[in-house]
């Protein structure tokens, strides 16, 4: 997995969303999480996006253990919330143990729209 991204600013909510492309906030949400081609990390403060990172997912083509690898990376990157369409059992368990909140969203929409639907950012 890549190096953890820099720590979020104080009081920031850090959200991870798996995507089909690397188009940042306009990327399309992937139906798969740990094997998605990209993961977009979004820092939100007071309902506003203050930063985002697009990270190619090296676990996408792993023969096995993708969920565990991605979960560990999300923890090291200080993610608070995961927005996902579907999660495997391994990643669900690790995120739960790390007290990372999971919210479900729909595939095929833009990251920014998923954040709005989850009421993490303003309209």
């Amino acid at each position: 997995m890549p190096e953890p991204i820099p720590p979020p600013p104080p009081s920031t909510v850090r959200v991870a969303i798996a995507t089909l492309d690397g188009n940042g906030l306009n990327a399309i949400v992937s139906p798969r999480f740990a094997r998605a081609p990209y993961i977009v990390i979004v820092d939100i403060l007071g309902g506003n996006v203050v930063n985002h990172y697009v990270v190619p997912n090296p676990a996408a083509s792993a023969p096995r253990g993708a969920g565990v690898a991605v979960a560990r990376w999300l923890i090291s990157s200080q993610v608070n919330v995961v927005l996902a369409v579907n999660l495997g059992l391994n990643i669900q368990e690790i995120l739960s143990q790390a007290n990372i909140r999971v919210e479900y969203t729909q595939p095929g929409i833009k990251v920014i729209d998923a954040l709005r639907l989850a009421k993490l950012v303003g309209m």
Side-chain angles (χ1 to χ4, degrees), residues 33-103:
F33 195 86
R35 295 199 180 274
Y38 294 90
I39 297 174
V40 177
I41 305 290
V42 183
D43 291 338
I44 300 168
L45 184 61
N48 296 305
V49 173
V50 293
N51 207 349
H52 72 279
Y53 304 86
V54 177
V55 181
N57 180 8
S61 59
R64 63 180 173 266
V68 172
V70 170
R72 288 182 179 153
W73 179 75
L74 293 175
I75 292 165
S76 71
S77 295
Q78 301 178 31
V79 168
N80 308 102
V81 178
V82 166
L83 277 182
V85 174
N86 189 26
L87 289 175
L89 295 176
N90 290 336
I91 194 169
Q92 277 181 357
E93 180 66 25
I94 295 168
L95 295 177
S96 174
Q97 289 173 2
N99 293 315
I100 295 175
R101 187 173 90 223
V102 175
E103 294 194 21

